[in-house]
Each structure stands twice: as structure tokens, then as C-alpha cells.
Amino acid sequence: MQMPKALRIRLIGIVQGVGLRPFVYRLAVAKGIYGYVRNMGGSEVEIFAEGDESALKSFLEGLASEKPPSARFEQIFIQELEPRGYGDFKILRSDPNFDERSIIPPDFAICSACAGEIFDRKSRFFEYHWNSCAFCGPRFSMLYRLPYDRENTSMVQFPLCSECFRDYSDPGNFRRFHAQGISCPRCGPKTFVYSITGEKLEVDDPVEFAAKKIVEGRILAIKGIGGYHIACLASDDSVVMELRSRKKRERKPFAVMARDYSIVEKIACPPPKARELLESPERPIVVMPKKATISELVAPGLSTVGVMLPYSAFQILLLLRIPDGFLIMTSGNVHGKPMCTELDEVFSQLSGIVDYVVEHERPIVHRVDDSVIRFSDGEPVFLRRSRGFAPEWIRICRSVAEGIALGGELQTAGAVSFEDKVVLTQFIGDMDEIENLEFMKRELEWLIGEYRIRPEFIAIDMHPLYHSRKLLKEFDGAEVIEVQHHHAHAVAAIAELGLSPDSKALAITIDGTGYGDDGGIWGGELLVSSWRDYERVGSFRPFNLPGGDSAARFPVKCLVALMASLGFGHSEVMELLSKRNLLNSLPYGLQEAEITYTLARKGKGAITTSLGRILDAFSALLGVCIERTYEGEPPMKLEALADGGKDLGLTPELCTKDRIIIDVGKLLEWAMETEARKEDIAKTVLQGIGRSLGLAALEAMKCRSLDYGNVIVTGGASVNSHIVRGIKEILSPEGVKVVLPRKTPPGDGGIALGQILVASSTLIE
Ligand SMILES: [Zn+2]
Ligand SMILES: [Zn+2]
């Protein structure tokens, strides 16, 4: 007989909240292994395994090859110890201590087995709204503290009934044995209905009631996993119009939830990779070309719509009772404010918006918005990384200092770092709202506490007026390090490529606004960048943009300022505006156009190289968007127009001064004079601008005789398929690969990752 040996195994990755301990228990019993398994306070799992050598070998093999579907091992530490003579294998109480940090489990959509039970009349989970098991259900959104055990979640107030306890204690019950979040109609959270005036309504079946009211054209707030949604019909113009007027949301698109994939195909044209994403446990909103079956008012003027599939049993049951099979499901918030997570917030904030509220009893600990993914020239990219993904860490190729990053100004997220990991928070939102600043602070403090981080630095954007600066005083003792906006974008993408901190990469960073190191407003930059520093090797030709915020709101001002700066004559500009009927779109009409022209001509107003503002100008010229009602609206409308167009092959000119300059003047002149269809003009402008960026990148590599193999494209505008196609048109034949960030959003939701790495590299070296 072989001598027993003992191994201490520590598993790092997504290992808590995924049914791992019961799996390890069953495996150990099957292989004749004694010892224990337990959750630890760093979100890791520890196993003590004792047995003969061949049994241990087979146990380790089974661990890797048979693990539960949602589990992921990033690191496995194995240490040989003296056998302790255990007589059985046990799941031990969790140990709040930790010696390794692991991934905090994100929220998972309901699995197919749990979805099956809610339709099974013989199952005790029949029509149960909050069914979940070891492999599915909310995790992060209900987690007070690590480790992931029931008493550390908001399920603590729902003691298991005798039947659930039996399942929980039964090693033969694959999906419920030691599953922390389980409940049933007897012991779990109940669902209630309220009128928006706060009156609790006596209804037999909340799903039936909600469906009936929605079909009648009413608007409801529905509590979900990470917050409240606002739900209503998406097929009825008058209902969508009513929601827009109540929510004071003129044109920003609403997301839609569809019953199943066949309904998705009825309302949209999902690209090849969409189905896998839609049906994944992360279950994000996926943006795809829309069909006419949904109201035009859901995403007015856009060719796309954001669609998701249900991810809770309640949502599945609700969608089944909607004859169309799809609904608007948009965040339950007031413009700019965070999504509501508590009933009293709904009563106070959504009172003018919804008619009824569907409520359940489980508290939401962490607000988590739905994630949003779109396709950029066929590849999925994040518009918003939140539910299902956050707070999963991003591993990088070397260790970094422990620190904090506060992200950008709008549509942003923060981050913390330790070891070789960066943890981005869930989507936070716009930092100019005090509630979002508080939300950011709370989430960062929670991560710092749970991961026991001692921040050495706090990284912030260089912009002197960003609201995140108000949070600096909340994190005393850490060194404040300012990071240039586009450098942060570039480095976030570099980290994904796995490049070492000193190696340089060429990054095309294109977006709306970022504070430049010369005090200008950048947004169309070519940077040769390492973690530590960058050189600005190219940009669009700078132009003067008087009027600040008002210029971003009224794209016609961008057009006037761009034309004035590029040398178009006064009469030419004014004639164009009157001929195209664009003067009325400025609040002060001709007078405002005159002032804008004169100031820009004199070199007054911010100096900008922003591609966002250049696209605003083209969008005004073509009349597709003359007032911006949400971030990115003019370029999105331009992209939608271009979707139906043909590329006519024009490209802006390049010239080289102290850096490469892209001049869109000739392209603008052509766009003014051509008789081509608007669709073709839009397509040519976007793809042509992409080509000019590609040519500038080639030029930059040539004059530095650099061979990078990759060119990074990032920033909010990099999700524009036509621009990316133009860049690839130039670079691909040269054997240069065009790379977009995939693990984090290329927009300002991903900037905190770059901020961490830049700041950390200035401390470490
Ligand atoms: Zn399940
Ligand atoms: Zn129960």
C-alpha cells in the first residue's frame, strides 16, 4: 500500500459562488480523498487533500477537467504538507482570513436548469420568481462582504426552509448542495406590487398584473438584480412617446428585452457573434441593426437597437405574457442620476415617470447596471462593462503598486490595483452628479476594504475641472498622480496586448474631449506610448472652438468654427448656413453664427483636435443632428446614415510639421459641393477619416523606422465601424494589425485601467 500524502491546494480565480465546494466534496469522496474544502476571505478557496499518490493525482486531474461551468482557475498553488490523518472529507465553515486574493464573483444570469424548474408544475420552484442554484443567480449585487457565504449576502434575512435545507445538505443534489443563494417560494424573497403613490396593492399574481398593465400601455418600475428597470411596450409609438416625455429623454435610445433568440431575430438582425453573447451567463445588452417591428421612437434616427435576453425567472415569466415578446427595459433613473436600488428612491424619484412598482424583498447591496456591447467592424467591444463582468479583475503582465484611479468625467468607472491585477468598478456614470461621486467613493472604499489594499497613489485625469477631483480628499495619504486622458486610453489598450511596460506602441486615440498637456482639448491623437510616457506624433489640424459647452450641444457651431479655422470665407460660411437652413438651429440664429465665426477666425476659444467635434460639424452639414441631446448623438447619427452609403474614396490630406497633421478642409469642401447622396457622403467622410488616420500611422512608423506589428485604436470614437474599416483599409495590406481594447471599454469607462498603470509606473521605476 502507498503511503498517504497531503496537499494544501489554493484556488484563485472565479471560485466562490459557482458551486465549487460541493463539486470538490463530491470529487474527493469519489476519489477516496480525505480532508476539507473551504472559502477564504480573499474570495479564494482552500482545499486540504489527503490520500495515496494515485488518488491525489486523479483528484487534481478531475479538479481541472470537471469543474463547474462558471468556475475559472487563474492560479493554483499546491503545497505538500504532513498528512493529518483525516477520516473523511468535509466542507468547512468559511475562514474570513485570507492569504491570497481572488476574483469577487460577478452576477450570473439564471441557468437553463433553473429556468426549466419554473415551468415544471411538479417542481416546488414552479413559477418561482427568484429561482437560482450553485451555478447561477446574483452574486456581487447582493454581497456585503467576503467570503461569498449566505450570511455575508442580502439573502441572510431569508433563512432556509426545511426543504431548502434538505437540498442544501444533500451531497447528491448537484445544484443546491451548499449553494449559498438558494431559496424557494416558501422561504425566499416575495414579490409585491405598489402604486407609485406608495399604496401596496392586493394582487394574486404580480407577473400577471405587471404584464396586464404593460399591455394596457402603462409604464412600470420593476426591481431586478442590480437595480430597477423601467418597463413598457416597445412596439407602440404612443407608449414610447409617453415614456420619453415623462422621462424628459428626447432621443437617447432605450434598451429592449426580448423573450428569446427567435424574438431577437424578429426585431433586429443579430450579427454572427451576437447569439453567444446574448445567451451567455453575463447576458449583456448587445447593440445590433434593428428592424421596423419595434417603434422607431425606441432608438430614433439610429440604425441599431440594444437588445438583451431575460436574466431572472421573473423577467422570463413576464416576457412570456407579453404578446409581442419584447419590452423596453431601461434603467430606472432620473436623467444623469444613478439607477434606483431602493423602494423609497423609486417613490421619490420616479413618481412622474412610472404608474406602478414591482418590488421584491431582497436588498440590492451593489448597484449594477446592465452591460452594453456593440460590434465595431465585426468585433465585439464594450460600451459599458458592468453586470456579469464587474468586479472581475484584469490581469496584467507585471506587478503594479497598490492604488486607486478615479476615471474620467462622463460615463465612467473607477479602479483599484494590487499584485498584477486591476479591478475596475462597475459602471458608475457621470461624475458631475453628486450621487455618482458618492457611488464611486462607496464602491472604491468597498474594494479597498475587501481586498485590504493600502493605496500608495491615487490617479486622476489631468483636467483641472473634472468633478472626480472632489474625491481626492476622501483618500488621504496616497500620492496624487495626474494622467493625460489619451495616454490613459492608450495604456489601457497596451496592457491588453500584454506588452511590457517599457515597450512602445502606436495608439490612435479618438474621442470627444480630453485635456491635453498643452491645455488644449485633444481628441484625435496619434501617440507613441509606453506605460510611463508618450509622444504626440500626430493629430487633426487644431481649430478654435468658441462657446465651450454650447458648442458641444449645437453641432452647427462646430461647423462654423471648423470652417472659420480652416480658412473658409465669411460669406461662404453664411451662405451655406442659410442655404441648408441651419441658422434656425442656433438659439441666437445668425448673430450667434457671426460671433462664432469672428471669434474662431481671431483664434479665440479652446484649441481643439477633437474628432468628436469634427464629426459634429459633418453631422450638422448633412443635417442629421443639429442639437445634441445625449453624449455622442451626432456621430452616432452620422454612422447610422453612413450604414446605407457607398464609399467614394476621398481621404483628408496629411502634412508634417512638428507632428503629422490631418487636415479635413478639402474633405469638408467636397462634402459641401458634391451632388452625391447624403448616405454616400457620410460613408465617405467616416471611412476617409479612417484612411487618413491609417496613413498618419504608417507615416509615423516610417519616419521613426519602427515596426510595431500592431496599431492600437481606442477612445470613444473607435467603436465607429466605418472609421475602423478605413484604418484597416490602409494598415492591413501593410501587415499591421489594428487592435481595439476587448476586455475594457475603449471609451471613458475603461480609462481607469490606463490611469492605474501610468501612475504605478512612475512610482515603481
Ligand atoms: Zn441555476
Ligand atoms: Zn425554501
Side-chain angles (χ1 to χ4, degrees):
M1 191 189 146
Q2 290 174 309
M3 285 295 289
K5 289 173 68 173
L7 301 176
R8 180 179 180 231
I9 303 162
R10 284 166 304 154
L11 302 170
I12 314 298
I14 303 186
V15 293
Q16 292 191 8
V18 288
L20 189 66
R21 288 176 304 169
F23 155 74
V24 169
Y25 172 88
R26 283 190 304 272
L27 184 70
V29 170
K31 305 287 183 191
I33 298 292
Y34 296 157
Y36 64 82
V37 57
R38 64 177 170 182
N39 279 345
M40 303 287 285
S43 202
E44 79 276 36
V45 164
E46 182 195 55
I47 303 168
F48 190 92
E50 216 167 279
D52 67 40
E53 192 150 1
S54 60
L56 280 170
K57 185 161 174 276
S58 144
F59 175 71
L60 285 175
E61 280 165 7
L63 207 54
S65 62
E66 294 162 33
K67 66 175 166 27
S70 305
R72 201 173 74 221
F73 303 155
E74 287 207 343
Q75 283 166 295
I76 302 177
F77 296 106
I78 301 177
Q79 194 184 357
E80 196 170 334
L81 298 176
E82 283 298 307
R84 297 174 189 167
Y86 284 104
D88 58 2
F89 195 91
K90 281 203 169 74
I91 296 179
L92 290 193
R93 275 185 69 85
S94 298
D95 184 341
N97 293 315
F98 78 90
D99 50 17
E100 297 293 343
R101 298 168 169 121
S102 193
I103 294 175
I104 296 165
D107 298 297
F108 302 109
I110 184 170
C111 71
S112 53
C114 284
E117 285 170 341
I118 65 171
F119 295 115
D120 178 1
R121 287 189 172 275
K122 287 192 241 76
S123 165
R124 64 191 185 91
F125 304 101
F126 178 64
E127 295 199 334
Y128 177 46
H129 302 161
W130 311 108
N131 199 21
S132 76
C133 72
F135 306 121
C136 77
R139 300 288 187 265
F140 171 58
S141 64
M142 62 179 194
L143 190 60
Y144 291 117
R145 70 194 78 82
L146 293 172
Y148 175 74
D149 287 330
R150 195 179 185 91
E151 64 261 33
N152 292 335
T153 71
S154 55
M155 287 303 286
V156 65
Q157 53 182 273
F158 304 97
L160 294 172
C161 67
S162 56
E163 283 169 302
C164 282
F165 185 73
R166 187 197 61 213
D167 287 352
Y168 182 87
S169 318
D170 174 10
N173 191 321
F174 197 69
R175 288 171 36 241
R176 289 201 169 78
F177 177 50
H178 275 268
Q180 303 300 313
I182 60 165
S183 60
C184 75
R186 259 177 77 194
C187 63
K190 306 268 185 296
T191 312
F192 301 108
V193 177
Y194 291 86
S195 72
I196 190 59
T197 49
E199 187 192 347
K200 197 169 183 176
L201 305 180
E202 289 301 325
V203 300
D204 290 339
D205 180 349
V207 176
E208 197 69 56
F209 178 88
K212 182 166 168 279
K213 291 297 171 191
I214 288 172
V215 172
E216 284 171 7
R218 298 308 192 94
I219 300 172
L220 273 66
I222 299 178
K223 188 174 183 182
I225 302 300
Y228 286 81
H229 281 118
I230 293 175
C232 68
L233 288 179
S235 48
D236 184 328
D237 284 354
S238 61
V239 173
V240 186
M241 185 91 92
E242 178 68 21
L243 174 61
R244 289 209 174 273
S245 97
R246 289 190 194 177
K247 212 167 181 275
K248 297 186 179 56
R249 179 154 148 165
E250 261 182 86
R251 294 194 291 269
K252 192 176 178 192
F254 291 123
V256 168
M257 185 176 274
R259 182 193 302 150
D260 54 37
Y261 190 72
S262 71
I263 300 287
V264 176
E265 289 181 308
K266 273 193 192 135
I267 59 175
C269 309
K273 294 173 189 167
R275 182 168 192 166
E276 196 185 324
L277 282 167
L278 284 166
E279 293 177 345
S280 68
E282 292 82 15
R283 217 146 295 184
I285 294 169
V286 180
V287 179
M288 57 184 82
K290 67 178 181 186
K291 288 186 182 164
T293 28
I294 52 172
S295 163
E296 164 62 17
L297 298 172
V298 170
L302 300 179
S303 50
T304 54
V305 62
V307 186
M308 64 183 144
L309 294 177
Y311 50 87
S312 74
F314 182 89
Q315 291 166 349
I316 293 175
L317 294 167
L318 176 66
L319 265 296
L320 260 183
R321 287 169 173 79
I322 304 296
D324 299 330
F326 60 96
L327 290 176
I328 284 183
M329 278 289 218
T330 187
S331 296
N333 66 337
V334 180
H335 175 75
K337 308 261 184 214
M339 174 171 59
C340 297
T341 53
E342 284 174 31
L343 188 59
D344 57 353
E345 290 173 349
V346 176
F347 291 144
S348 63
Q349 295 180 25
L350 303 185
S351 62
I353 300 177
V354 303
D355 304 306
Y356 299 96
V357 187
V358 177
E359 168 71 2
H360 65 71
E361 292 178 303
R362 186 183 62 233
I364 294 171
V365 181
H366 297 274
R367 174 185 301 115
V368 200
D369 287 77
D370 294 317
S371 292
V372 188
I373 290 178
R374 64 161 281 172
F375 290 86
S376 181
D377 196 27
E379 292 300 316
V381 286
F382 277 111
L383 293 183
R384 185 195 288 169
R385 181 184 178 275
S386 208
R387 180 182 47 76
F389 300 95
E392 194 179 319
W393 65 39
I394 291 152
R395 266 184 94 186
I396 39 196
C397 64
R398 61 168 271 180
S399 33
V400 291
E402 298 195 349
I404 310 166
L406 298 178
E409 175 78 348
L410 300 177
Q411 304 289 296
T412 201
V416 299
S417 58
F418 51 84
E419 300 162 12
D420 57 348
K421 283 117 190 166
V422 178
V423 182
L424 281 173
T425 66
Q426 69 272 43
F427 171 78
I428 302 286
D430 296 348
M431 303 301 285
D432 56 359
E433 292 286 343
I434 180 85
E435 290 88 346
N436 284 328
L437 277 176
E438 282 162 10
F439 179 24
M440 175 79 98
K441 172 174 174 267
R442 203 166 55 238
E443 293 302 318
L444 288 172
E445 282 175 343
W446 189 80
L447 288 169
I448 288 167
E450 292 308 309
Y451 277 133
R452 302 178 203 195
I453 296 167
R454 291 194 188 151
E456 280 183 59
F457 67 84
I458 173 161
I460 55 159
D461 194 278
M462 242 178 209
H463 200 300
L465 299 177
Y466 272 12
H467 288 80
S468 52
R469 285 184 182 260
K470 292 186 182 147
L471 291 180
L472 287 179
K473 61 177 190 306
E474 309 288 342
F475 301 96
D476 286 349
E479 183 178 344
V480 176
I481 298 176
E482 293 191 346
V483 180
Q484 202 280 321
H485 190 89
H486 302 94
H487 187 207
H489 272 308
V491 173
I494 287 173
E496 282 198 18
L497 281 178
L499 294 176
S500 74
D502 308 318
S503 53
K504 290 179 185 256
L506 180 62
I508 297 172
T509 57
I510 42 180
D511 61 5
T513 310
Y515 192 79
D517 59 22
D518 58 359
I521 302 299
W522 294 7
E525 316 303 314
L526 275 83
L527 305 180
V528 170
S529 174
S530 66
W531 284 19
R532 194 173 183 152
D533 23 51
Y534 63 94
E535 184 193 351
R536 188 190 194 194
V537 295
S539 77
F540 287 95
R541 182 162 149 192
F543 67 102
N544 287 90
L545 185 57
D549 285 351
S550 137
R553 183 164 162 208
F554 298 103
V556 174
K557 283 181 113 163
C558 292
L559 177 63
V560 174
L562 181 65
M563 291 180 78
S565 300
L566 294 179
F568 287 81
H570 175 267
S571 57
E572 200 179 355
V573 176
M574 297 307 148
E575 259 169 45
L576 175 85
L577 296 184
S578 76
K579 200 172 87 196
R580 302 213 173 189
N581 206 12
L582 294 173
L583 284 170
N584 295 337
S585 68
L586 291 173
Y588 301 99
L590 178 64
Q591 194 188 1
E592 198 170 0
E594 294 277 5
I595 294 172
T596 306
Y597 183 88
T598 311
L599 289 175
R601 201 58 194 248
K602 284 185 181 159
K604 297 274 164 52
I607 297 177
T608 183
T609 49
S610 159
L611 176 58
R613 296 295 88 78
I614 291 172
L615 297 181
D616 287 358
F618 278 101
S619 157
L621 177 72
L622 297 180
V624 289
C625 182
I626 49 170
E627 185 187 347
R628 182 181 85 165
T629 64
Y630 58 90
E631 168 98 349
E633 181 180 2
M636 281 166 76
K637 294 265 172 77
L638 196 60
E639 187 182 13
L641 184 65
D643 285 344
K646 201 169 83 211
D647 174 32
L648 302 174
L650 281 86
T651 305
E653 294 177 331
L654 302 189
C655 66
T656 305
K657 296 187 174 152
D658 52 340
R659 62 176 187 270
I660 301 160
I661 297 291
I662 302 170
D663 190 332
V664 298
K666 287 269 166 61
L667 185 70
L668 187 61
E669 208 175 320
W670 169 80
M672 283 163 56
E673 286 163 5
T674 177
E675 303 277 298
R677 293 191 316 148
K678 274 189 178 183
E679 290 83 349
D680 299 344
I681 302 176
K683 171 78 176 165
T684 307
V685 163
L686 292 173
Q687 195 152 335
I689 283 174
R691 276 190 292 269
S692 69
L693 288 163
L695 289 168
L698 269 191
E699 183 69 24
M701 288 193 279
K702 229 178 272 168
C703 54
R704 280 171 176 71
S705 39
L706 294 168
D707 175 20
Y708 296 129
N710 297 302
V711 165
I712 287 161
V713 185
T714 185
S718 68
V719 299
N720 187 307
S721 292
H722 306 290
I723 294 178
V724 171
R725 212 164 292 152
I727 297 173
K728 286 182 180 170
E729 191 187 326
I730 301 297
L731 294 180
S732 301
E734 303 289 328
V736 179
K737 205 170 157 217
V738 173
V739 198
L740 268 77
R742 299 288 301 279
K743 294 179 193 158
T744 58
D748 288 0
I751 210 167
L753 169 61
Q755 289 175 337
I756 289 269
L757 303 183
V758 173
S760 169
S761 70
T762 64
L763 285 182
I764 281 179
E765 271 126 57

